[in-house]
């Protein structure tokens, strides 16, 4: 939602290259960089990387950047020889 101080959308020249955005329903949104992200409080986060992962679950400690906190933490079964007897 735009803030009251938001000047509105920026005009982009028709010749500007389009940015590619990949949406993964189980993970982050991948955006070809560089990108600037305007956060809810009006601060701007910038990345000059060629591809960035944007957090959509808000679990990331590096929000707005994804740190893979959305992945389920599952314990792997120990190998059969290392199992403890019941």
């Amino acid at each position: 939602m735009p803030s009251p101080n938001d000047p509105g959308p920026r005009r982009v020249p028709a010749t500007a290259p389009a940015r590619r955005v990949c949406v993964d329903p189980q993970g982050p949104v991948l955006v070809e960089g560089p990108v600037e992200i305007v956060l809810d409080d009006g601060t701007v986060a910038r990345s000059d990387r060629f591809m960035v992962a944007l957090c959509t679950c808000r679990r990331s400690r590096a929000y707005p950047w994804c740190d893979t906190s959305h992945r389920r933490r599952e314990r792997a079964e120990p190998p059969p020889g290392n199992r403890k007897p019941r």
Side-chain angles (χ1 to χ4, degrees), residues 74-79:
E74 295 182 19
R75 289 187 172 186
E77 286 290 322

Side-chain angles (χ1 to χ4, degrees), residues 58-71:
R58 291 198 176 251
R59 292 182 202 156
S60 174
R61 292 183 186 147
Y63 188 82
W65 318 117
C66 178
D67 67 0
T68 67
S69 295
H70 62 275
R71 294 183 182 165

Side-chain angles (χ1 to χ4, degrees), residues 78-83:
N82 294 343
R83 289 187 183 162

Side-chain angles (χ1 to χ4, degrees), residues 36-69:
E36 284 186 350
I37 307 298
V38 180
L39 302 174
D40 293 340
D41 64 0
T43 59
V44 176
R46 180 174 171 81
S47 175
D48 292 322
R49 299 186 68 168
F50 70 94
M51 180 72 73
V52 296
L54 301 178
C55 176
T56 57
C57 70
R58 291 198 176 251
R59 292 182 202 156
S60 174
R61 292 183 186 147
Y63 188 82
W65 318 117
C66 178
D67 67 0
T68 67
S69 295

